[in-house]
Amino acid sequence: MFDRYESGEQAILVHIDLPKEGDREDLHELEMLVSSAGVSSLAVVQGSRQAPHPKLFVGTGKAEEIAEIVKIHNADVVIFNHQLRPSQERNLERVFQCRVLDRTTLILDIFAQRARTHEGKLQVELAQLRHMSTRLIRGWTHLERQKGGIGLRGPGETQLETDRRLLRARIQNIRSRLDKVAVQREQGRRARTRNEIPTVSLVGYTNAGKSTLFNRITHSDVYAADQLFATLDPTLRKLELGDIGPVILADTVGFIRHLPHDLVAAFKATLTETREADLQLHVIDAADSRLQENIEQVQSVLKEIEADEVPQLLIYNKIDALDNVSPRIDRNDEGQPIRVWLSAHTGEGCELLSEAISELLAKKMFNDTLFLTPLYGRLRAALFSLNAVHEERFDEQGNWLLDTRMPMVEWNRLIKEFGPEIAGFIYRN
């Protein structure tokens, strides 16, 4: 459906240093993205500017320099480590006489290559359509399966308007299909809630070792590789943890700095596993020099998908690549685990991870009887919708006595919604 480069194409990479923190990108990360996309890098052009050029992003002199390098290497495509405006892409293509891609399009293409499930493919296509809708300069009539000819277009409708109409129809169709998948996911989550099975979600920067850790502690064989976005489609496995019992562990897509907003929006249904988890395991590459930046980027995406209030345990992975670092659990002043140091590759410290998860989940369940008067029928309905009520009784005055069990995060959300006074409804016999 989309114009995209094929594996093995030859590319010129462009990286510009910009003073503004929000505009900065990492060259090493671009090289990893290009490698993950299956594209060969012929040369890297670097430069610096105070601000992007409005027409060419890099300025006329640098654009001519890149055009000369494209001719020398006979490159197929020029890939910018930045987000370009549609007009900048078109202007650069005229100068270079070859295709120009920005960082966002490159990431979307990698996602398109990696998506395996029906849902994953739909989500990637939706993100691509949203992104490409701002770049409508070619024909999109191939989106329509049966073209009727006369009567297809409205009075005075141009080709571009027709294309936009077809694009909107395709986006609506995909959204409808994704809504159905979201309903199926919600049914699965409700079933797990009824069975009182906590969910633990792995999150982290891409290539931090989430899938390797997932395989290690669940004895699975999920695809794991030393490349960006090796995992796209969420994988769920049941894990037995001591006194806690069964726990659902979810492996999800890795994050990256300046992850395209359209992609985050498209994958929101998938990332619900992260948003509604009882505990997040934030996997961090302890050997990465940009460790703190990566942590901040992950927290930024979690906030964007409204998952930043879920309790989190930091997992410092890849300690086998560090000197004089042994497996351990770091605790706060209250004795609760806050960090676990381990190596998913060698297995060192993984038993400490199970210990830390068990401790945190044991304290994350609300298990009490609530005394509600008829004035709080809405709260009672909310408790039933969460499948948190195990038994309901009535006293002589018609008040409710509800035996409840739910994750503490859900109880805290109810307190926020109905007010702090409901904390006083806990029944003391």
Side-chain angles (χ1 to χ4, degrees), residues 49 52-66 92:
R49 288 185 62 86
H53 189 281
K55 290 185 178 180
L56 298 171
F57 191 88
V58 293
T60 53
K62 182 63 72 174
E64 290 172 3
E65 176 190 337
I66 298 170
L92 289 167

Side-chain angles (χ1 to χ4, degrees), residues 152-171:
L152 172 67
R153 291 190 288 271
E157 187 173 27
T158 66
Q159 180 67 54
L160 188 59
E161 289 168 339
T162 302
D163 295 340
R164 283 177 176 153
R165 175 169 51 79
L166 295 171
L167 187 62
R168 286 195 298 269
R170 178 64 178 164
I171 289 175

Side-chain angles (χ1 to χ4, degrees), residues 92 113 155 222 240 282 288 336 351 356 368 373 421:
L92 289 167
Q113 292 182 45
V222 170
E240 291 291 336
H282 182 171
D288 194 325
Q336 290 187 338
E351 71 286 350
D368 252 312
T373 67
E421 65 271 13

